[in-house]
Amino acid sequence: MPPRPGPRRARIAFSDAAAKQLENITSEAEIHALDRALVVVSVAPDIGEPLPGHAAGPQLRQYTDEVERVRLLYWVTALRTVVVVAYIET
């Protein structure tokens, strides 16, 4: 019997601001911590808590990993296939 595939993961994309933040991360420990947080969000996009806002735009969410000390602000596309990271804090 062939192995069952794991959970489907959303693709990660970065806003221009988050991409600039990503360029400034040089510590290997911070990169590793960010990678772990991105995997969590890609597997379970609804894991973050919704941030208050208005209904005109996408629902902004916040995911915080207290152990790795990473905070992501992101939104998920309508079909839940892409997670757009708007802000990174390590």
Side-chain angles (χ1 to χ4, degrees):
M1 183 173 200
R4 296 181 62 198
R8 185 171 184 150
R9 294 167 69 176
R11 189 171 55 104
I12 300 289
F14 296 95
S15 69
D16 290 341
K20 282 200 177 287
Q21 291 172 308
L22 189 58
E23 290 174 2
N24 293 328
I25 297 175
T26 57
S27 160
E28 191 170 322
E30 288 179 336
I31 291 170
H32 178 73
L34 178 60
D35 282 345
R36 289 178 51 114
L38 292 172
V39 167
V40 168
V41 171
S42 72
V43 171
D46 291 331
I47 195 166
E49 61 188 51
L51 294 176
H54 52 81
Q59 173 67 55
L60 196 58
R61 302 183 74 80
Q62 170 180 267
Y63 172 72
T64 304
D65 184 328
E66 299 295 335
V67 174
E68 297 286 352
R69 295 187 175 177
V70 174
R71 180 175 169 234
L72 300 174
L73 298 183
Y74 66 97
W75 70 88
V76 183
T77 59
L79 297 177
R80 300 176 39 86
T81 58
V82 179
V83 171
V84 180
V85 177
Y87 175 80
I88 301 168
E89 188 175 290
T90 58

